[in-house]
């Protein structure tokens, strides 16, 4: 059993405010300098909550599909990294909707289910999501560079693209 102090901002942004004494959570120890990292580096800073939309159980696996609000899908892609409820995972599949929302899936092996709280998740549950910081920096830098270069032309380019059913920079 452990206890933690939580800031009000974290309670408002995450699922932590809904937890009760005795509820299980995923906790990873802080990385030690020079130690091997088994996933991707996590900061522990939650960006948003996603909703578990679907659970599938093919043989020897569990597939979790999460719904993601706009604009967060710009940072999520197949084979990219993401943290779900504090655990580093690889995105198996992802899809984006025209409004910038979308979904992603992770595939979990029995060992991951044994070592985490993912086995207890049910359709409709909210989960904490942390975007991989290096991905976020690259995406935001490219978006800013395009905006800086094409800023005054963007309204015309967007209108041109819209006429052809194309969405730019969601």
């Amino acid at each position: 059993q452990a206890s933690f102090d939580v800031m009000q901002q974290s309670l408002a942004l995450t699922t932590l405010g809904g937890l009760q004494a005795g509820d299980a959570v995923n906790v990873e120890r802080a990385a030690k300098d020079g130690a091997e990292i088994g996933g991707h580096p996590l900061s522990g800073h939650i960006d948003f909550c996603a909703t578990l939309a679907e659970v599938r159980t093919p043989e020897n696996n569990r597939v979790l599909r999460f719904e993601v609000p706009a604009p967060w899908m710009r940072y999520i892609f197949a084979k990219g990294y993401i943290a779900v409820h504090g655990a580093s995972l690889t995105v198996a599949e992802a899809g984006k909707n025209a409004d910038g929302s979308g979904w992603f899936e992770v595939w979990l092996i029995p060992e991951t289910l044994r070592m985490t709280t993912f086995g207890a998740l049910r359709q409709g549950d909210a989960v904490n999501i942390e975007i991989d910081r290096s991905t976020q920096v690259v995406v935001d830098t490219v978006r800013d560079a395009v905006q800086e270069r094409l800023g005054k032309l963007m309204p015309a380019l967007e209108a041109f693209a819209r006429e052809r059913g194309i969405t730019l920079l969601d």
Side-chain angles (χ1 to χ4, degrees):
Q1 185 171 349
S3 63
F4 303 91
D5 290 321
V6 181
M7 296 178 69
Q8 192 62 41
Q9 182 182 23
S10 296
L11 293 173
L13 181 64
T14 70
T15 63
L16 294 176
L19 295 176
Q20 303 295 319
D23 285 350
V25 296
N26 296 324
V27 178
E28 292 193 26
R29 293 173 43 174
K32 293 181 184 176
D33 191 33
E36 180 180 336
I37 296 176
H40 71 281
L42 301 175
S43 70
H45 298 289
I46 304 306
D47 293 299
F48 66 96
C49 288
T51 303
L52 180 58
E54 182 182 349
V55 177
R56 298 191 316 273
T57 53
E59 186 177 345
N60 210 31
N61 286 267
R62 181 165 300 162
V63 181
L64 305 179
R65 177 179 279 208
F66 297 98
E67 293 176 350
V68 176
W72 296 104
M73 278 308 297
R74 70 176 54 140
Y75 305 114
I76 302 172
F77 53 91
K79 308 304 180 237
Y81 296 122
I82 196 159
V84 179
H85 265 349
S88 168
L89 299 171
T90 301
V91 175
E93 299 289 336
K96 191 183 295 188
N97 300 322
D99 67 356
S101 66
W103 58 270
F104 73 92
E105 291 182 348
V106 294
W107 286 60
L108 306 175
I109 60 173
E111 179 66 3
T112 303
L113 290 170
R114 187 180 75 75
M115 296 297 292
T116 66
T117 61
F118 295 131
L121 289 176
R122 301 291 174 252
Q123 187 173 343
D125 286 349
V127 296
N128 299 314
I129 302 292
E130 177 184 334
I131 297 296
D132 177 61
R133 290 296 170 246
S134 59
T135 300
Q136 188 173 14
V137 167
V138 169
V139 169
D140 288 348
T141 300
V142 169
R143 289 174 60 82
D144 289 348
V146 167
Q147 180 62 35
E148 186 177 300
R149 252 345 229 185
L150 301 176
K152 292 181 181 180
L153 293 174
M154 284 309 291
L157 290 173
E158 288 171 343
F160 179 79
R162 234 184 346 269
E163 289 173 3
R164 284 152 183 79
I166 301 169
T167 303
L168 298 179
L169 297 177
D170 56 343

